[in-house]
Amino acid sequence: MSKNLQILPLGGMGEIGKNLTIYEYGNNMIVVDCGVMFPENDMYGIDLVLPDFSYILKNKNKLRGIVLTHGHMDHIGALPYLLRDVNAPVYGTPLTLGLVRRKLEEANLLANSDLRPLGEVEHLGPFRVKPFPVAHSIPDSVGLVIETPVGSVVHTGDYKLDETPAGGRTTDLNKLKKLTPEGVLVMLGDSTNADQPGRTETEAVVAETLDRLFKQAKGERIIIATFSSVLARLQEIIYLAEKHNRKVALTGRSLVENIELARELGYLKVPKGILVDIHASTPAEDLVILSTGSQGELRSALNRMANGEHRQVSIQPGDTVIISGGTIPGNEEVVGRMLNNLFERGAHVIYGAMATVHVSGHGSREDMRMMLEAVKPRFMIPAHGEARHLHLHAKLAQETGMKAENTFILRDGSRWLTDGKKAWTEGGLELDEVYVDGRLVGEIGELVMRDRQRLSQDGFVVALIPIDKKNKLSGEPQFVSRGFVYLKDSGKLLDEGREQIRRHHTKGAAQLRRALEDFFYRETQSRPVVLPQYIQS
Amino acid sequence: MSKNLQILPLGGMGEIGKNLTIYEYGNNMIVVDCGVMFPENDMYGIDLVLPDFSYILKNKNKLRGIVLTHGHMDHIGALPYLLRDVNAPVYGTPLTLGLVRRKLEEANLLANSDLRPLGEVEHLGPFRVKPFPVAHSIPDSVGLVIETPVGSVVHTGDYKLDETPAGGRTTDLNKLKKLTPEGVLVMLGDSTNADQPGRTETEAVVAETLDRLFKQAKGERIIIATFSSVLARLQEIIYLAEKHNRKVALTGRSLVENIELARELGYLKVPKGILVDIHASTPAEDLVILSTGSQGELRSALNRMANGEHRQVSIQPGDTVIISGGTIPGNEEVVGRMLNNLFERGAHVIYGAMATVHVSGHGSREDMRMMLEAVKPRFMIPAHGEARHLHLHAKLAQETGMKAENTFILRDGSRWLTDGKKAWTEGGLELDEVYVDGRLVGEIGELVMRDRQRLSQDGFVVALIPIDKKNKLSGEPQFVSRGFVYLKDSGKLLDEGREQIRRHHTKGAAQLRRALEDFFYRETQSRPVVLPQYIQS
């Protein structure tokens, strides 16, 4: 039995999303986080990307537990897909488990799941897992100290070092130090903002800005779009509404559900009578509408308002609309369109650089430096980032005095090993991206994705070629096509295409396809997917 | 004959791109700028978008001239498409005309074109056009004072108010004031940065930052990617190379061409012997490579380096790569991937917020306020922006004391009229987006675009249904499909699909299509394009 600790990330290394890290020692492993990734713009038709679970499934007898750092989808969203096939206790803080419970309920998996509150120490095989509080954009977030037979690991999870967080709970570096009296062997640190200089602003600045905007909007309706999970900010807004004598109405399913959950669990204090139904006819100047849709999501409440399709809320000239959420890279165009539509309807929209109505939930370079200096790990593995973030985080660690050879840039599937003295990487798994498309999980592969990419650019042409038993043309070839050109207006092109078929059809489908592809490219400089189909009659 | 001035924008109102504004009085019109727009991410397969020229073509006998403010593609790129069908003199500054000349040459239109240097005053029918210098990210940019029978127009073009621009040429507000002694009837003002608070930083800051980075990179190669048109910055970099005893090599066609053109025309001073061939074996520490590709464009020089596919330059650990160009919204994902690849190859990459290696060529809110206060127009039309920028610019004008009813938000095709005293909008044209896709100009319409959108998400299924003369199935139906699911692995799905065909094929293609669409959606929650084809035998 190996006396080494193995750290094997299945996600989060080289991407922001699908965070999942395996810690393995001998015949024991634990999983930290189990998240999804939201698709990039050119992952056509894909709803979600999951980590490749094969290694866990192959070793499920070793699995002692799954520990969650917080309730964001990129840390818990893949649990319903893993728990279909794996039975292990899941540990988390109350709010995190509340959010997990809802996901498992939707997937009809709750009854068979084993959810356990994360205590001060959890003994999972040879691992002792000890949480410490961190400030992040969702309450009840923790980092983990994982004691192993070869030394202590610090797994920061997502964090910022906010000394005045809206929820009152900051990253507890003192507790972290107390939990690691013998020092830290290796730290896996959040790299999200490794390209952002300085400190991340405190959430308190957002509260101040919103207070000022509430004053300025006197007499007009206020609509605020934010992430439904930023509960501390939602709390601030509810307090501000009370202060400025406004009622609060909610729109957007996830927002309504999260606020309900957070109230039940005591994470949100809602003064009596302040919440009103979105259907109620509250005078505009007495109302704050809290809405989903800060990312311009097509079916979100705010986007429906922007498009004039929201059933209860129609944007009026004079409405103040506040986008209290940073634009996630890749969403700029859809967010931009939504903003345009809101302005066109006469709203006064506050977004982007115009006022500090949002701050990141992740620490910037100086926060990261403070964390590195507090933890002083022997080895350091930048986590939770694309390659550029990981590299910049490693360089930052080197600025704090770490040797370059003690910082490790891993990929998903890398196997990092340590015997407590030295550390190395070894082998590594070949992982697949697991795409979720509607009901299809893992059935959409690279080939289908490449086809979609090509179809999106130039469409397709299916050529139907009637032939007799002697392989002679027995009728006029036909074209079926979409996304290429208007067939109706392209008589000449199609006639010439048929001529190509007459000339090349005896050479077999592969050569005919190439001939047609070349022909269409010469004529149009487009490359539709061409599929010749011989039809025997 | 109408005694009103009509301003009719065909582009640039509600988008950043395809700038084109028509000024019309009686039987006379002039066109200011003639640009293209680069497609957004969901304009699948589209290379460029052009303004809809129909109004110009219908009235080409009225056209007295085309006046260009500067040489960026969103201001000159559509000229080759307009000059195919229209013969009118084109006025511009020497660098602008140099860039136009190259575009027209490529399109085989140069011989028949009438390019004229823009003088201090151009008499074009009843219009007197007088340029004034503006600071922008390409030299030789001008704004225009257009004297008309009903009063003076200020058409700012793209500008910033940079007191220390790298090229030494700043926006000449004094000249602008001297050109408008009787005041300004209406201003069309650049709105690009209406959501950016404060002033736009001066180009001099970039020079300082680059100087510092040159010092830090001592002993290592420097690679700088920037826009090939930011000639003032290229000049700075060449001076810095000289100062730090480095040679400069160029890679990227547009960069090589622009530097050649700018040298010929005297806009760029290149010290003797400083330019070296990219093939030359200059020691790394003595070299600066200037490259295209700051937007992560697939085939750009820098992206090829990032992918290890550049013929002459292979990224080495220790190389300093500077991305001296802001990311245009919509390009974040591709730029991010390129940065990741550069880091993975060991480069030290400077980008984004990490250092001021780029500043915008457009003024921010305080620059715009200064322009408004200098011009003091009676009427104001925000131009060159998406709806949000136009609205914010109008509100900014109102902050400087203009009445709301004197600021006008137009759309492409809006007809804005003034008799010199009052102003109003009237009618307005219905314009098409004119898409360029390979050789196809204007032939790709909304329907093809919608098909591509749908194909990109879920692919297609063509069902081939052999029937006899009595409309009975005469053989086994077949499916041809791409981008949906792997047909090979989907035997059961296809068998059931064939069953659907057996059940519904007599009801006609439309109903069969619906039945198949519903069936596939039920089974997969995907909506491929379904096309049933009956094949008579």
Side-chain angles (χ1 to χ4, degrees), chain B residues 185-187 372 377-382 390-410 416 423-425:
Chain B
L185 180 62
V186 55
M187 175 171 112
L372 282 159
R378 184 170 334 161
F379 303 112
M380 193 275 199
I381 301 176
L390 306 182
H391 282 273
L392 286 170
H393 198 180
K395 280 182 184 153
L396 183 69
Q398 291 156 29
E399 284 178 25
T400 71
M402 289 191 73
K403 283 186 193 147
E405 62 262 35
N406 289 346
T407 62
F408 289 83
I409 307 289
L410 305 188
W416 184 89
W424 64 97
T425 55

mmCIF file of all heavy atoms in Angstrom, chain B residues 185-187 372 377-382 390-410 416 423-425:
data_model
loop_
_atom_site.group_PDB
_atom_site.id
_atom_site.type_symbol
_atom_site.label_atom_id
_atom_site.label_comp_id
_atom_site.label_asym_id
_atom_site.label_seq_id
_atom_site.Cartn_x
_atom_site.Cartn_y
_atom_site.Cartn_z
ATOM 1 N N LEU B 185 -25.430 74.279 -35.004
ATOM 2 C CA LEU B 185 -26.836 73.867 -35.016
ATOM 3 C C LEU B 185 -26.998 72.486 -34.395
ATOM 4 O O LEU B 185 -27.835 72.270 -33.531
ATOM 5 C CB LEU B 185 -27.338 73.865 -36.467
ATOM 6 C CG LEU B 185 -28.791 73.452 -36.672
ATOM 7 C CD1 LEU B 185 -29.738 74.416 -35.976
ATOM 8 C CD2 LEU B 185 -29.106 73.348 -38.165
ATOM 9 N N VAL B 186 -26.172 71.544 -34.862
ATOM 10 C CA VAL B 186 -26.319 70.177 -34.354
ATOM 11 C C VAL B 186 -24.963 69.489 -34.323
ATOM 12 O O VAL B 186 -24.127 69.694 -35.205
ATOM 13 C CB VAL B 186 -27.347 69.360 -35.190
ATOM 14 C CG1 VAL B 186 -26.989 69.364 -36.665
ATOM 15 C CG2 VAL B 186 -27.470 67.927 -34.679
ATOM 16 N N MET B 187 -24.763 68.703 -33.290
ATOM 17 C CA MET B 187 -23.535 67.916 -33.192
ATOM 18 C C MET B 187 -23.878 66.438 -33.208
ATOM 19 O O MET B 187 -24.768 65.991 -32.487
ATOM 20 C CB MET B 187 -22.797 68.253 -31.894
ATOM 21 C CG MET B 187 -21.561 67.377 -31.683
ATOM 22 S SD MET B 187 -20.546 67.939 -30.293
ATOM 23 C CE MET B 187 -20.788 66.594 -29.143
ATOM 24 N N LEU B 372 -18.844 68.611 -25.464
ATOM 25 C CA LEU B 372 -20.181 69.224 -25.475
ATOM 26 C C LEU B 372 -20.109 70.686 -25.049
ATOM 27 O O LEU B 372 -20.771 71.559 -25.632
ATOM 28 C CB LEU B 372 -21.118 68.456 -24.529
ATOM 29 C CG LEU B 372 -21.679 67.141 -25.079
ATOM 30 C CD1 LEU B 372 -22.146 66.235 -23.948
ATOM 31 C CD2 LEU B 372 -22.845 67.433 -26.038
ATOM 32 N N PRO B 377 -23.808 72.820 -28.937
ATOM 33 C CA PRO B 377 -24.736 72.744 -30.075
ATOM 34 C C PRO B 377 -26.176 73.035 -29.634
ATOM 35 O O PRO B 377 -26.510 72.847 -28.458
ATOM 36 C CB PRO B 377 -24.601 71.282 -30.503
ATOM 37 C CG PRO B 377 -24.284 70.557 -29.231
ATOM 38 C CD PRO B 377 -23.442 71.496 -28.415
ATOM 39 N N ARG B 378 -26.993 73.510 -30.578
ATOM 40 C CA ARG B 378 -28.406 73.675 -30.233
ATOM 41 C C ARG B 378 -29.065 72.292 -30.112
ATOM 42 O O ARG B 378 -29.803 72.042 -29.176
ATOM 43 C CB ARG B 378 -29.145 74.504 -31.282
ATOM 44 C CG ARG B 378 -30.581 74.713 -30.807
ATOM 45 C CD ARG B 378 -31.437 75.704 -31.569
ATOM 46 N NE ARG B 378 -30.719 76.757 -32.254
ATOM 47 C CZ ARG B 378 -31.266 77.470 -33.252
ATOM 48 N NH1 ARG B 378 -32.510 77.214 -33.634
ATOM 49 N NH2 ARG B 378 -30.587 78.411 -33.850
ATOM 50 N N PHE B 379 -28.791 71.432 -31.079
ATOM 51 C CA PHE B 379 -29.318 70.066 -31.033
ATOM 52 C C PHE B 379 -28.160 69.081 -30.934
ATOM 53 O O PHE B 379 -27.041 69.391 -31.331
ATOM 54 C CB PHE B 379 -30.133 69.761 -32.290
ATOM 55 C CG PHE B 379 -31.266 70.713 -32.517
ATOM 56 C CD1 PHE B 379 -31.247 71.594 -33.595
ATOM 57 C CD2 PHE B 379 -32.348 70.749 -31.643
ATOM 58 C CE1 PHE B 379 -32.284 72.489 -33.809
ATOM 59 C CE2 PHE B 379 -33.390 71.649 -31.850
ATOM 60 C CZ PHE B 379 -33.362 72.523 -32.930
ATOM 61 N N MET B 380 -28.458 67.908 -30.429
ATOM 62 C CA MET B 380 -27.380 66.949 -30.233
ATOM 63 C C MET B 380 -27.876 65.552 -30.583
ATOM 64 O O MET B 380 -28.954 65.136 -30.144
ATOM 65 C CB MET B 380 -26.927 67.021 -28.769
ATOM 66 C CG MET B 380 -25.617 66.306 -28.496
ATOM 67 S SD MET B 380 -25.965 64.579 -28.209
ATOM 68 C CE MET B 380 -24.520 64.044 -27.372
ATOM 69 N N ILE B 381 -27.103 64.875 -31.418
ATOM 70 C CA ILE B 381 -27.429 63.498 -31.825
ATOM 71 C C ILE B 381 -26.266 62.596 -31.425
ATOM 72 O O ILE B 381 -25.199 62.660 -32.025
ATOM 73 C CB ILE B 381 -27.641 63.411 -33.359
ATOM 74 C CG1 ILE B 381 -28.765 64.345 -33.793
ATOM 75 C CG2 ILE B 381 -27.917 61.963 -33.778
ATOM 76 C CD1 ILE B 381 -28.975 64.399 -35.310
ATOM 77 N N PRO B 382 -26.431 61.784 -30.386
ATOM 78 C CA PRO B 382 -25.361 60.841 -30.046
ATOM 79 C C PRO B 382 -25.182 59.859 -31.202
ATOM 80 O O PRO B 382 -26.168 59.368 -31.757
ATOM 81 C CB PRO B 382 -25.897 60.119 -28.803
ATOM 82 C CG PRO B 382 -27.043 60.930 -28.312
ATOM 83 C CD PRO B 382 -27.601 61.622 -29.508
ATOM 84 N N LEU B 390 -25.729 55.578 -26.709
ATOM 85 C CA LEU B 390 -26.444 56.748 -27.218
ATOM 86 C C LEU B 390 -27.282 57.387 -26.111
ATOM 87 O O LEU B 390 -27.264 58.612 -25.918
ATOM 88 C CB LEU B 390 -27.344 56.355 -28.399
ATOM 89 C CG LEU B 390 -26.674 55.605 -29.573
ATOM 90 C CD1 LEU B 390 -27.698 55.329 -30.669
ATOM 91 C CD2 LEU B 390 -25.490 56.391 -30.136
ATOM 92 N N HIS B 391 -27.990 56.552 -25.365
ATOM 93 C CA HIS B 391 -28.837 57.087 -24.296
ATOM 94 C C HIS B 391 -28.000 57.767 -23.215
ATOM 95 O O HIS B 391 -28.349 58.840 -22.720
ATOM 96 C CB HIS B 391 -29.702 55.984 -23.693
ATOM 97 C CG HIS B 391 -30.885 55.634 -24.545
ATOM 98 N ND1 HIS B 391 -32.088 56.289 -24.459
ATOM 99 C CD2 HIS B 391 -31.047 54.712 -25.528
ATOM 100 C CE1 HIS B 391 -32.946 55.783 -25.338
ATOM 101 N NE2 HIS B 391 -32.332 54.814 -26.006
ATOM 102 N N LEU B 392 -26.890 57.140 -22.841
ATOM 103 C CA LEU B 392 -26.051 57.743 -21.796
ATOM 104 C C LEU B 392 -25.424 59.045 -22.285
ATOM 105 O O LEU B 392 -25.261 59.993 -21.513
ATOM 106 C CB LEU B 392 -24.957 56.752 -21.358
ATOM 107 C CG LEU B 392 -25.463 55.600 -20.495
ATOM 108 C CD1 LEU B 392 -24.372 54.539 -20.324
ATOM 109 C CD2 LEU B 392 -25.922 56.094 -19.119
ATOM 110 N N HIS B 393 -25.081 59.108 -23.563
ATOM 111 C CA HIS B 393 -24.512 60.336 -24.123
ATOM 112 C C HIS B 393 -25.571 61.454 -24.123
ATOM 113 O O HIS B 393 -25.282 62.603 -23.779
ATOM 114 C CB HIS B 393 -24.014 60.063 -25.540
ATOM 115 C CG HIS B 393 -23.044 61.084 -26.058
ATOM 116 N ND1 HIS B 393 -22.498 61.011 -27.308
ATOM 117 C CD2 HIS B 393 -22.530 62.214 -25.517
ATOM 118 C CE1 HIS B 393 -21.685 62.037 -27.515
ATOM 119 N NE2 HIS B 393 -21.689 62.780 -26.436
ATOM 120 N N ALA B 394 -26.781 61.106 -24.472
ATOM 121 C CA ALA B 394 -27.860 62.106 -24.450
ATOM 122 C C ALA B 394 -28.078 62.626 -23.031
ATOM 123 O O ALA B 394 -28.241 63.828 -22.804
ATOM 124 C CB ALA B 394 -29.150 61.499 -24.999
ATOM 125 N N LYS B 395 -28.052 61.699 -22.060
ATOM 126 C CA LYS B 395 -28.231 62.133 -20.662
ATOM 127 C C LYS B 395 -27.087 63.023 -20.211
ATOM 128 O O LYS B 395 -27.280 63.979 -19.453
ATOM 129 C CB LYS B 395 -28.349 60.917 -19.751
ATOM 130 C CG LYS B 395 -29.742 60.340 -19.810
ATOM 131 C CD LYS B 395 -29.946 59.160 -18.885
ATOM 132 C CE LYS B 395 -31.362 58.617 -19.132
ATOM 133 N NZ LYS B 395 -31.475 57.214 -18.823
ATOM 134 N N LEU B 396 -25.885 62.694 -20.677
ATOM 135 C CA LEU B 396 -24.724 63.519 -20.350
ATOM 136 C C LEU B 396 -24.911 64.924 -20.911
ATOM 137 O O LEU B 396 -24.632 65.930 -20.231
ATOM 138 C CB LEU B 396 -23.470 62.874 -20.934
ATOM 139 C CG LEU B 396 -22.136 63.565 -20.637
ATOM 140 C CD1 LEU B 396 -21.785 63.442 -19.165
ATOM 141 C CD2 LEU B 396 -21.017 62.945 -21.485
ATOM 142 N N ALA B 397 -25.409 65.015 -22.134
ATOM 143 C CA ALA B 397 -25.669 66.333 -22.739
ATOM 144 C C ALA B 397 -26.674 67.098 -21.897
ATOM 145 O O ALA B 397 -26.538 68.313 -21.679
ATOM 146 C CB ALA B 397 -26.177 66.154 -24.165
ATOM 147 N N GLN B 398 -27.664 66.378 -21.393
ATOM 148 C CA GLN B 398 -28.660 67.037 -20.541
ATOM 149 C C GLN B 398 -28.019 67.546 -19.248
ATOM 150 O O GLN B 398 -28.379 68.614 -18.747
ATOM 151 C CB GLN B 398 -29.828 66.088 -20.280
ATOM 152 C CG GLN B 398 -30.657 65.848 -21.550
ATOM 153 C CD GLN B 398 -31.434 64.539 -21.527
ATOM 154 O OE1 GLN B 398 -31.812 64.053 -20.464
ATOM 155 N NE2 GLN B 398 -31.664 63.968 -22.696
ATOM 156 N N GLU B 399 -27.040 66.791 -18.738
ATOM 157 C CA GLU B 399 -26.323 67.285 -17.544
ATOM 158 C C GLU B 399 -25.590 68.590 -17.828
ATOM 159 O O GLU B 399 -25.390 69.402 -16.932
ATOM 160 C CB GLU B 399 -25.282 66.243 -17.088
ATOM 161 C CG GLU B 399 -25.871 65.051 -16.379
ATOM 162 C CD GLU B 399 -24.787 64.029 -15.997
ATOM 163 O OE1 GLU B 399 -23.614 64.426 -15.838
ATOM 164 O OE2 GLU B 399 -25.117 62.846 -15.882
ATOM 165 N N THR B 400 -25.163 68.804 -19.090
ATOM 166 C CA THR B 400 -24.458 70.053 -19.408
ATOM 167 C C THR B 400 -25.449 71.179 -19.696
ATOM 168 O O THR B 400 -25.039 72.269 -20.079
ATOM 169 C CB THR B 400 -23.541 69.895 -20.651
ATOM 170 O OG1 THR B 400 -24.365 69.785 -21.829
ATOM 171 C CG2 THR B 400 -22.638 68.693 -20.538
ATOM 172 N N GLY B 401 -26.726 70.913 -19.551
ATOM 173 C CA GLY B 401 -27.695 71.995 -19.671
ATOM 174 C C GLY B 401 -28.599 71.921 -20.888
ATOM 175 O O GLY B 401 -29.480 72.760 -21.056
ATOM 176 N N MET B 402 -28.412 70.926 -21.744
ATOM 177 C CA MET B 402 -29.300 70.829 -22.903
ATOM 178 C C MET B 402 -30.666 70.325 -22.465
ATOM 179 O O MET B 402 -30.791 69.500 -21.565
ATOM 180 C CB MET B 402 -28.721 69.869 -23.947
ATOM 181 C CG MET B 402 -27.515 70.424 -24.657
ATOM 182 S SD MET B 402 -27.074 69.407 -26.094
ATOM 183 C CE MET B 402 -28.398 69.853 -27.229
ATOM 184 N N LYS B 403 -31.690 70.795 -23.160
ATOM 185 C CA LYS B 403 -33.028 70.278 -22.888
ATOM 186 C C LYS B 403 -33.158 68.877 -23.484
ATOM 187 O O LYS B 403 -32.643 68.624 -24.574
ATOM 188 C CB LYS B 403 -34.070 71.187 -23.529
ATOM 189 C CG LYS B 403 -34.299 72.465 -22.739
ATOM 190 C CD LYS B 403 -35.450 73.242 -23.354
ATOM 191 C CE LYS B 403 -35.492 74.656 -22.786
ATOM 192 N NZ LYS B 403 -35.971 75.629 -23.785
ATOM 193 N N ALA B 404 -33.901 68.023 -22.798
ATOM 194 C CA ALA B 404 -34.065 66.650 -23.283
ATOM 195 C C ALA B 404 -34.626 66.638 -24.697
ATOM 196 O O ALA B 404 -34.214 65.832 -25.536
ATOM 197 C CB ALA B 404 -34.966 65.862 -22.332
ATOM 198 N N GLU B 405 -35.539 67.562 -24.995
ATOM 199 C CA GLU B 405 -36.164 67.515 -26.334
ATOM 200 C C GLU B 405 -35.209 67.962 -27.436
ATOM 201 O O GLU B 405 -35.521 67.820 -28.615
ATOM 202 C CB GLU B 405 -37.465 68.339 -26.375
ATOM 203 C CG GLU B 405 -37.279 69.815 -26.111
ATOM 204 C CD GLU B 405 -37.589 70.171 -24.658
ATOM 205 O OE1 GLU B 405 -37.297 69.329 -23.770
ATOM 206 O OE2 GLU B 405 -38.101 71.270 -24.410
ATOM 207 N N ASN B 406 -34.057 68.486 -27.062
ATOM 208 C CA ASN B 406 -33.056 68.843 -28.082
ATOM 209 C C ASN B 406 -32.001 67.760 -28.309
ATOM 210 O O ASN B 406 -31.091 67.935 -29.109
ATOM 211 C CB ASN B 406 -32.368 70.166 -27.713
ATOM 212 C CG ASN B 406 -33.318 71.344 -27.880
ATOM 213 O OD1 ASN B 406 -34.371 71.204 -28.509
ATOM 214 N ND2 ASN B 406 -32.966 72.488 -27.315
ATOM 215 N N THR B 407 -32.114 66.673 -27.567
ATOM 216 C CA THR B 407 -31.225 65.537 -27.823
ATOM 217 C C THR B 407 -32.058 64.453 -28.502
ATOM 218 O O THR B 407 -33.191 64.196 -28.114
ATOM 219 C CB THR B 407 -30.615 64.983 -26.525
ATOM 220 O OG1 THR B 407 -31.668 64.498 -25.681
ATOM 221 C CG2 THR B 407 -29.838 66.067 -25.775
ATOM 222 N N PHE B 408 -31.499 63.836 -29.515
ATOM 223 C CA PHE B 408 -32.258 62.900 -30.347
ATOM 224 C C PHE B 408 -31.553 61.550 -30.417
ATOM 225 O O PHE B 408 -30.400 61.480 -30.818
ATOM 226 C CB PHE B 408 -32.394 63.453 -31.776
ATOM 227 C CG PHE B 408 -33.315 64.631 -31.872
ATOM 228 C CD1 PHE B 408 -32.860 65.914 -31.579
ATOM 229 C CD2 PHE B 408 -34.646 64.457 -32.242
ATOM 230 C CE1 PHE B 408 -33.715 67.006 -31.659
ATOM 231 C CE2 PHE B 408 -35.504 65.552 -32.326
ATOM 232 C CZ PHE B 408 -35.033 66.835 -32.033
ATOM 233 N N ILE B 409 -32.266 60.513 -30.002
ATOM 234 C CA ILE B 409 -31.743 59.161 -30.182
ATOM 235 C C ILE B 409 -32.263 58.641 -31.520
ATOM 236 O O ILE B 409 -33.466 58.437 -31.685
ATOM 237 C CB ILE B 409 -32.224 58.221 -29.052
ATOM 238 C CG1 ILE B 409 -31.915 58.793 -27.679
ATOM 239 C CG2 ILE B 409 -31.645 56.813 -29.242
ATOM 240 C CD1 ILE B 409 -30.471 58.786 -27.295
ATOM 241 N N LEU B 410 -31.371 58.427 -32.450
ATOM 242 C CA LEU B 410 -31.787 57.915 -33.762
ATOM 243 C C LEU B 410 -31.470 56.428 -33.880
ATOM 244 O O LEU B 410 -30.737 55.870 -33.076
ATOM 245 C CB LEU B 410 -31.060 58.681 -34.877
ATOM 246 C CG LEU B 410 -31.190 60.208 -34.892
ATOM 247 C CD1 LEU B 410 -30.583 60.778 -36.176
ATOM 248 C CD2 LEU B 410 -32.646 60.650 -34.767
ATOM 249 N N TRP B 416 -33.732 62.565 -39.669
ATOM 250 C CA TRP B 416 -33.758 63.696 -38.745
ATOM 251 C C TRP B 416 -33.739 64.969 -39.574
ATOM 252 O O TRP B 416 -32.907 65.106 -40.478
ATOM 253 C CB TRP B 416 -32.543 63.617 -37.834
ATOM 254 C CG TRP B 416 -32.498 64.688 -36.764
ATOM 255 C CD1 TRP B 416 -33.051 64.613 -35.515
ATOM 256 C CD2 TRP B 416 -31.842 65.953 -36.830
ATOM 257 N NE1 TRP B 416 -32.785 65.749 -34.807
ATOM 258 C CE2 TRP B 416 -32.046 66.607 -35.589
ATOM 259 C CE3 TRP B 416 -31.119 66.619 -37.825
ATOM 260 C CZ2 TRP B 416 -31.537 67.885 -35.302
ATOM 261 C CZ3 TRP B 416 -30.612 67.883 -37.548
ATOM 262 C CH2 TRP B 416 -30.815 68.513 -36.291
ATOM 263 N N ALA B 423 -36.227 71.111 -34.953
ATOM 264 C CA ALA B 423 -35.744 69.836 -35.486
ATOM 265 C C ALA B 423 -36.769 68.764 -35.153
ATOM 266 O O ALA B 423 -37.469 68.847 -34.143
ATOM 267 C CB ALA B 423 -34.396 69.477 -34.877
ATOM 268 N N TRP B 424 -36.886 67.770 -36.021
ATOM 269 C CA TRP B 424 -37.844 66.693 -35.806
ATOM 270 C C TRP B 424 -37.414 65.438 -36.570
ATOM 271 O O TRP B 424 -36.548 65.527 -37.434
ATOM 272 C CB TRP B 424 -39.246 67.146 -36.255
ATOM 273 C CG TRP B 424 -39.349 67.430 -37.729
ATOM 274 C CD1 TRP B 424 -39.807 66.598 -38.704
ATOM 275 C CD2 TRP B 424 -38.969 68.651 -38.403
ATOM 276 N NE1 TRP B 424 -39.735 67.198 -39.938
ATOM 277 C CE2 TRP B 424 -39.227 68.462 -39.780
ATOM 278 C CE3 TRP B 424 -38.426 69.873 -37.985
ATOM 279 C CZ2 TRP B 424 -38.965 69.431 -40.748
ATOM 280 C CZ3 TRP B 424 -38.172 70.846 -38.950
ATOM 281 C CH2 TRP B 424 -38.438 70.633 -40.311
ATOM 282 N N THR B 425 -37.995 64.318 -36.221
ATOM 283 C CA THR B 425 -37.746 63.112 -37.008
ATOM 284 C C THR B 425 -39.009 62.774 -37.770
ATOM 285 O O THR B 425 -40.106 63.162 -37.370
ATOM 286 C CB THR B 425 -37.356 61.910 -36.126
ATOM 287 O OG1 THR B 425 -38.370 61.726 -35.148
ATOM 288 C CG2 THR B 425 -36.017 62.120 -35.447
#
